[in-house]
Amino acid sequence: MNSLLLLLAVPLPPQSLEALGPLIEERRVDTRYGPVGPLARRGGPDTQSVWIQPYYGLPSRTDPRATLLAAQSLHVSRIVACDTVVAVNPVLGPGHPVLIADYIDFTRHQPQTFYENEGTAGLSQTPAVCPRLTEALSHILPMAPGAVYLGVDGPRRETAAEARMFRSWGADVLGQNLVPEIALARELGLCFAGLGIVEEISAERPIPPAPEDDSRGLEAVVIALSALTQMIDPNTACDCGGRFDHRQPAGPGAAAEQSTQRPCK
């Protein structure tokens, strides 16, 4: 069975997870990069079960490689990561959901690969995110534009000068929880899609008045994740995973076309 893992770096109330089904089990996983968990598995009688892991980009967080290896050991083949983000693109405001279409890696202190001493000659080019998972999310969240995600270490926020620089690079949002996870997942041949909820706007933009209700984005996340579990057929495999010539830690897959999700304007 091709299981789904949700990496949740959004402040969802615990009761909202009931939409994904009752709790089936909790499990900790030991990896060579450290322990991971507890991961919770939820599911209903008519839907596939899904693994859930709260995930926050703190300096002391679990090694991202451990998280991805734990997913692989649980027979996960698809990962959807949800992150609260800072909007660099001026058309985005607090509460706005975005789908991650591509990314820029501006991290300095995170592990970038499982093959640090072996080079990357055996890695074929793959899409930044899984086109099929992203397309499924776009059907559920038609109001969410595609966005370029710029990964930062944190916890320091960007300066106004940095925000202007990031926007000139083509970044739409900034976050701490999808990079290097995207690249690491692709090395293991795992499908990966990213969903962001704008929590704040970048430092060079004037602070907007606080909205009366800023929970629309979080509500959209809950609806999207619940609907996604019903759309995915656990008995079918995706073919967009990474392929290695001789250092293959997971099953090979053919590269697929780039996502056509509409970008922010």
Side-chain angles (χ1 to χ4, degrees):
M1 180 176 291
N2 298 291
S3 295
L4 173 69
L5 168 66
L6 305 178
L7 296 179
L8 300 181
V10 292
L12 295 178
Q15 62 269 24
S16 67
L17 297 178
E18 295 295 331
L20 300 172
L23 180 65
I24 299 173
E25 64 172 313
E26 291 187 340
R27 192 181 302 183
R28 291 182 181 271
V29 179
D30 291 322
T31 77
R32 64 178 182 269
Y33 297 108
V36 178
L39 296 100
R41 186 162 68 95
R42 289 181 174 271
D46 300 322
T47 61
Q48 69 159 315
S49 63
V50 55
W51 289 98
I52 302 169
Q53 174 65 52
Y55 202 76
Y56 293 96
L58 302 175
S60 59
R61 69 171 166 170
T62 301
D63 189 317
R65 294 172 296 185
T67 300
L68 273 298
L69 286 182
Q72 189 182 54
S73 74
L74 294 173
H75 306 291
V76 163
S77 62
R78 299 177 175 99
I79 298 174
V80 175
C82 305
D83 194 11
T84 53
V85 296
V86 175
V88 175
N89 190 314
V91 307
L92 299 174
H96 202 137
V98 296
L99 301 180
I100 308 308
D102 208 340
Y103 72 94
I104 300 170
D105 188 349
F106 197 65
T107 60
R108 300 177 177 87
H109 307 297
Q110 297 295 334
Q112 301 301 315
T113 178
F114 287 103
Y115 304 102
E116 293 173 329
N117 300 319
E118 300 183 51
T120 58
L123 177 61
S124 65
Q125 185 176 0
T126 62
V129 293
C130 174
R132 291 161 180 79
L133 271 181
T134 303
E135 182 181 5
L137 286 170
S138 73
H139 286 299
I140 301 167
L141 296 170
M143 81 297 289
V148 175
Y149 178 101
L150 189 142
V152 295
D153 287 318
R156 178 184 68 82
R157 279 288 305 272
E158 78 290 346
T159 66
E162 287 172 333
R164 290 191 293 270
M165 178 179 68
F166 295 152
R167 189 167 62 250
S168 73
W169 290 355
D172 295 303
V173 296
L174 314 177
Q176 301 175 30
N177 296 287
L178 303 188
V179 175
E181 285 78 0
I182 292 178
L184 293 172
R186 307 308 273 163
E187 284 191 356
L188 295 181
L190 305 178
C191 296
F192 191 103
L195 175 63
I197 301 297
V198 175
E199 184 176 49
E200 299 184 61
I201 61 173
S202 54
E204 91 291 6
R205 295 170 57 189
I207 300 176
E212 294 183 1
D213 182 8
D214 195 20
S215 62
R216 292 171 300 168
L218 294 178
E219 293 172 356
V221 167
V222 175
I223 295 172
L225 297 181
S226 178
L228 184 66
T229 61
Q230 299 178 42
M231 291 178 63
I232 293 177
D233 183 351
N235 298 311
T236 61
C238 188
D239 62 352
C240 71
R243 174 182 292 151
F244 291 80
D245 292 340
H246 61 280
R247 299 191 301 275
Q248 179 82 18
E257 69 279 0
Q258 291 289 340
S259 172
T260 56
Q261 175 65 24
R262 63 198 183 283
C264 295
K265 299 294 186 182

